[in-house]
Amino acid sequence: MDRQGERFYLVKEDLLSEAMTKTLEAKELLESGKAKTVNQAVHSVDMSRSAFYKYRDGIFPFETMVKEKIVSISIHLEDRSGSLSSLLAVLAGLGCNILTIHQTIPLQGKANVTLSIETASAKEDINGILKSLERLEHVKKVSIIGSGA
């Protein structure tokens, strides 16, 4: 995504620097009201104010970036009768609006399903949605392949 020269990346948490991770923790303390000031928040997570200010406007939890947006998910699904139906039922039960569905022809007992879902009315954040899908017996792998407005 390139907007006015800015580029954005999706990075796994274990690859973030300590300062970035602490910035996210401090922001969470401020948003939840557990810390009333930036000074209290940075002191609680043992970081400097300058490091906090350096990263605060550039790092966000993934779920805040996909709230009220469209998320595309890739799912490796066993080829069993009713597996797609139960997958869709779980998403509907979570309040997701399913926009598109594409399923490949099953090969060697597995198919790939790509879904575009709208998550504004979902009862769970995107991590909760993914975990609910991963718990299904016939789902072998779930991954986010993109998001947008």
Side-chain angles (χ1 to χ4, degrees):
M1 179 165 140
D2 194 355
R3 188 174 47 181
Q4 298 176 358
E6 293 181 332
R7 294 181 70 183
F8 298 88
Y9 301 92
L10 182 63
V11 180
K12 286 178 39 182
E13 182 178 25
D14 61 345
L15 297 175
L16 295 176
S17 70
E18 182 180 6
M20 290 177 180
T21 304
K22 287 183 176 188
T23 300
L24 288 168
E25 291 172 20
K27 287 175 70 169
E28 188 175 313
L29 290 172
L30 288 164
E31 289 169 14
S32 69
K34 292 178 182 173
K36 302 292 182 211
T37 66
V38 170
N39 213 26
Q40 289 175 340
V42 297
H43 181 72
S44 295
V45 298
D46 192 32
M47 76 178 299
S48 69
R49 286 172 46 102
S50 62
F52 174 79
Y53 285 117
K54 178 179 179 179
Y55 293 112
R56 76 168 178 176
D57 294 329
I59 188 162
F60 305 94
F62 181 72
E63 54 270 7
T64 62
M65 299 305 290
V66 296
K67 191 169 185 127
E68 297 185 22
K69 292 190 178 185
I70 298 167
V71 180
S72 295
I73 302 171
S74 175
I75 303 159
H76 294 281
L77 191 64
E78 283 184 10
D79 182 29
R80 282 201 239 159
S81 179
S83 59
L84 180 59
S85 178
S86 63
L87 177 90
L88 297 176
V90 166
L91 288 169
L94 290 170
C96 296
N97 184 21
I98 300 164
L99 303 173
T100 65
I101 303 169
H102 178 267
Q103 181 175 350
T104 61
I105 295 172
L107 297 173
Q108 300 177 346
K110 293 185 178 75
N112 188 48
V113 178
T114 303
L115 300 171
S116 294
I117 60 173
E118 199 270 320
T119 61
S121 301
K123 298 172 187 172
E124 300 268 345
D125 65 13
I126 191 64
N127 292 322
I129 293 167
L130 296 178
K131 286 179 182 163
S132 294
L133 296 176
E134 288 169 346
R135 283 193 289 267
L136 293 172
E137 180 183 335
H138 50 275
V139 171
K140 297 303 165 199
K141 183 180 178 186
V142 179
S143 56
I144 295 174
I145 55 176
S147 69

